[in-house]
Amino acid sequence: QKNSCVLPEDLKNFYLMTDGFQMTWSVKTDDTPMPLGSMVINSVSKLCRLGGSSMYTLPNAPTLADLEDDTDEEGNGDKPEKPHFDSRSLIFELDPCNGNGKVCLVYKHAEPVVSPDTEIWFLDRALYWHFLTKTFTAYYRLLITHLGLPQWQYAFTSYGVSPQAKQWFNMYKPITINTALLSEEADTFVNKLDPNKVFKSKNKTPVLKKKPPSQPPGSQKSHTSMTSAKTSSLAGNSSRK
């Protein structure tokens, strides 16, 4: 009511179940637990608006709208139009990202009436916007899929995660570190097995067994007759003795 906007249906259902979400997990190094993963969805009371107030308490201090760079090209090609810190957009912080940036719920069309269409964007520390998802449900799935690893949101930027964060990705989520593969066709991850190449047998020449030379029938008969003649002669000699 304060900002004259309505929460998207999926985020409203989420807050009806639980007022925010926070989950951290650690790894053990040298028998000492070290906090690593962090998954956060701010509660309703911490769903603060960005860009409306000054960043400093000094008089005439600049606001985020004053620091916004309007020279960026907007909506070129498939790139969605980036949010604005002024009255054209309403921006609410969903996740402070441990100081590495901010995940924001963005109402991009706030004039003259706030549009119910929202998107999830990542604001890095240099105040550059990076599109994440169109719905809160899709972002929540990304959050769980990336296990809340440090700086995982930077995997969706043009400069990627830091070398230290990349080591954690290689250890716990090696398939998600290469976002170029995620944007390609689904067949990229299919293990294409060609059975003709895998089970291809080498062309071996069959070894032919040598058969003994066949003898003509006549020679077999003569050999048989010679054997019988020797046998009869031996029998006659024994009878004479």
Side-chain angles (χ1 to χ4, degrees):
Q1 294 178 356
K2 179 181 178 180
N3 296 285
S4 301
C5 59
V6 180
L7 288 175
E9 194 66 24
D10 52 357
L11 183 56
K12 183 172 68 174
N13 293 334
F14 174 82
Y15 280 126
L16 287 175
M17 291 187 297
T18 176
D19 188 14
F21 169 75
Q22 182 174 4
M23 177 179 176
T24 58
W25 56 278
S26 305
V27 293
K28 185 175 288 187
T29 57
D30 297 332
D31 295 331
T32 302
M34 182 186 72
L36 182 62
S38 176
M39 293 174 274
V40 176
I41 302 294
N42 281 339
S43 61
V44 175
S45 61
K46 294 182 179 179
L47 204 62
C48 302
R49 182 182 175 184
L50 298 182
S53 59
S54 174
M55 297 183 299
Y56 308 100
T57 57
L58 298 175
N60 299 324
T63 63
L64 288 174
D66 296 328
L67 300 177
E68 185 175 2
D69 186 9
D70 291 332
T71 59
D72 294 344
E73 297 180 358
E74 301 179 2
N76 285 349
D78 297 333
K79 295 182 180 180
E81 181 184 355
K82 70 171 187 176
H84 299 279
F85 290 115
D86 54 18
S87 58
R88 287 174 290 179
S89 303
L90 287 179
I91 305 169
F92 299 94
E93 180 184 320
L94 283 176
D95 183 1
C97 303
N98 291 326
N100 293 316
K102 296 180 184 295
V103 174
C104 300
L105 174 71
V106 178
Y107 296 80
K108 289 201 301 183
H109 304 288
E111 292 181 348
V113 181
V114 178
S115 172
D117 298 331
T118 59
E119 294 175 346
I120 308 298
W121 287 71
F122 174 62
L123 179 67
D124 64 18
R125 297 182 64 179
L127 301 182
Y128 286 103
W129 288 104
H130 308 277
F131 176 76
L132 292 179
T133 61
K134 284 185 172 296
T135 63
F136 171 77
T137 302
Y139 168 74
Y140 190 76
R141 290 172 179 170
L142 276 183
L143 176 65
I144 301 299
T145 302
H146 288 81
L147 305 177
L149 287 170
Q151 304 176 16
W152 71 265
Q153 296 88 353
Y154 283 88
F156 295 87
T157 65
S158 58
Y159 29 86
V161 299
S162 65
Q164 182 180 3
K166 188 175 293 186
Q167 293 180 359
W168 293 118
F169 269 83
N170 290 329
M171 184 177 297
Y172 293 102
K173 292 296 293 180
I175 198 172
T176 58
I177 188 60
N178 193 347
T179 55
L181 293 178
L182 296 177
S183 61
E184 295 178 0
E185 297 180 358
D187 294 340
T188 305
F189 297 104
V190 177
N191 187 7
K192 297 181 179 180
L193 181 65
D194 189 355
N196 295 327
K197 293 183 179 180
V198 175
F199 302 104
K200 185 178 181 181
S201 60
K202 297 181 179 179
N203 295 329
K204 296 182 179 180
T205 55
V207 179
L208 299 176
K209 295 183 179 180
K210 295 182 179 181
K211 295 182 180 180
S214 58
Q215 297 179 352
S219 62
Q220 291 181 356
K221 290 182 179 180
S222 61
H223 179 72
T224 304
S225 60
M226 289 174 65
T227 305
S228 59
K230 289 180 180 180
T231 305
S232 60
S233 61
L234 290 173
N237 292 334
S238 60
S239 61
R240 290 174 184 176
K241 290 180 181 181

